[in-house]
Amino acid sequence: MKLTPEQRIELHGFNNLTKSLSFNMYDICFTKTKEEREAYIEYIDEQYNADRLTKILNTVANIIGAHVLNTAKQDYVPQGASVTLLVSEGPVVEVPTESFSESPGPLPGSVVLQLDKSHITVHTYPEYHPDEGISTFRADIDVSTCGEISPLKALNHLIHSFDTDIMTIDYRVRGFTRDKKGHKLFIDHDIRSIQNYIPDNVKNLYDMIDVNVYPEHIFHTKCKLKQFDLNDYLFGYKKDILTEKEQEEITQRLKKEMDEIFYGRNFDVQ
């Protein structure tokens, strides 16, 4: 259905649509020794500890106009962290004038959009390749809302909150609501791609693939950084201390790891 920003649908009762955003990111690093690997994981655990993740999720709650009812957070041993926010409808300062526009959401700032009973969660997964010297950090963030506002408004902030080599983003609208005449509405906003909610300056940095199932209101976008600089993937030193052969071998390992994650399948070693 196509709606202009001025068009509003009169509903019978509460908007029962559930909108779920799943934001999955990866940071890749080459760690040649056990000591480098342990130092990288320690760095990640400190950089993305439960306290910092809680601040990120609280900003997401502010962006989508939610009131935080309860916060549960945990730093795990030996690594990783989890945070869960239970949120409810927050105060609406003014009626949004662009409820159905497809534009990137804001970075942290004042937002006046409505949300009802929902949750926001994040889990982190530092891990490493047992043989190839590759360490990865994965974070999974889920934002589930019930009502008018889409959690896609928080996507821009999430992208800027993590140092991301690869992103996998899923968005789905479930359930239905009814208009005043009793007709079921299975979606209340016009969307063709998650990319509509990513700023152009960010999209220009990534190769992107969409896999969308429009009749089912399921949207999937994968993103991988276009530019590759080996210095960005070495932990604690620069590439100039490596031989050209070492640089080439490490580059091949890193690119293979990134391609396997991006395409979701293993590739044979060439």
Side-chain angles (χ1 to χ4, degrees):
M1 60 186 300
K2 294 185 180 299
L3 297 171
T4 67
E6 292 75 23
Q7 287 178 307
R8 312 272 302 179
I9 299 174
E10 289 191 70
L11 300 181
H12 174 71
F14 179 72
N15 187 332
N16 290 312
L17 290 170
T18 298
K19 300 160 189 175
S20 298
L21 171 69
S22 178
F23 175 78
N24 172 232
M25 60 74 61
Y26 290 87
D27 177 73
I28 316 297
C29 184
F30 180 78
T31 49
K32 181 169 57 176
T33 66
K34 177 183 178 182
E35 290 72 24
E36 289 177 10
R37 182 174 68 236
E38 291 175 348
Y40 172 75
I41 292 178
E42 182 179 353
Y43 164 78
I44 287 295
D45 266 358
E46 177 62 28
Q47 184 74 5
Y48 297 106
N49 60 40
D51 287 338
R52 183 178 178 224
L53 293 172
T54 300
K55 291 179 181 178
I56 292 173
L57 296 197
N58 272 286
T59 302
V60 169
N62 289 335
I63 288 174
I64 58 180
H67 174 68
V68 178
L69 298 175
N70 184 62
T71 301
K73 61 182 180 179
Q74 180 67 50
D75 287 304
Y76 296 112
V77 177
Q79 61 209 34
S82 293
V83 179
T84 299
L85 304 187
L86 179 64
V87 296
S88 67
E89 181 179 348
V92 179
V93 180
E94 63 183 47
V95 176
T97 59
E98 296 183 344
S99 295
F100 300 102
S101 65
E102 290 190 354
S103 59
L107 291 174
S110 104
V111 177
V112 292
L113 300 175
Q114 184 175 357
L115 175 108
D116 207 335
K117 307 176 185 69
S118 307
H119 65 270
I120 309 170
T121 66
V122 59
H123 305 284
T124 68
Y125 304 88
E127 68 92 44
Y128 60 90
H129 192 292
D131 303 314
E132 296 297 325
I134 303 290
S135 292
T136 64
F137 165 65
R138 182 177 114 232
D140 294 342
I141 300 96
D142 290 293
V143 185
S144 181
T145 69
C146 185
E148 178 180 325
I149 184 57
S150 166
L152 284 167
K153 285 293 182 181
L155 180 56
N156 193 22
H157 173 75
L158 289 173
I159 292 172
H160 283 82
S161 297
F162 295 90
D163 186 12
T164 306
D165 295 313
I166 297 169
M167 298 183 291
T168 302
I169 308 164
D170 295 281
Y171 177 66
R172 181 171 184 178
V173 182
R174 296 181 175 90
F176 66 88
T177 191
R178 294 181 186 272
D179 65 16
K180 287 290 188 179
K181 296 180 180 180
H183 296 294
K184 296 183 183 70
L185 302 171
F186 295 93
I187 192 167
D188 62 356
H189 62 298
D190 188 29
I191 175 174
R192 301 301 298 171
S193 171
I194 293 171
Q195 294 189 39
N196 296 129
Y197 288 82
I198 302 176
D200 288 339
N201 65 325
V202 175
K203 286 192 288 188
N204 291 336
L205 300 176
Y206 291 88
D207 289 319
M208 294 187 170
I209 295 175
D210 272 8
V211 182
N212 301 321
V213 186
Y214 298 113
E216 302 299 327
H217 312 306
I218 298 173
F219 305 88
H220 176 76
T221 297
K222 297 192 290 188
C223 316
K224 183 183 71 169
L225 276 178
K226 294 178 181 178
Q227 299 297 321
F228 182 92
D229 183 345
L230 182 56
N231 283 326
D232 295 334
Y233 298 90
L234 301 175
F235 190 72
Y237 59 94
K238 296 297 183 181
K239 65 182 182 182
D240 54 9
I241 71 169
L242 302 172
T243 66
E244 289 188 6
K245 182 179 179 180
E246 287 175 326
Q247 291 182 34
E248 182 179 352
E249 289 178 349
I250 294 171
T251 296
Q252 289 179 350
R253 290 181 186 179
L254 287 165
K255 287 186 174 181
K256 177 176 178 288
E257 181 81 2
M258 294 171 71
D259 284 343
E260 288 182 342
I261 294 172
F262 182 62
Y263 291 105
R265 61 180 184 270
N266 291 300
F267 296 134
D268 293 332
V269 178
Q270 296 182 355

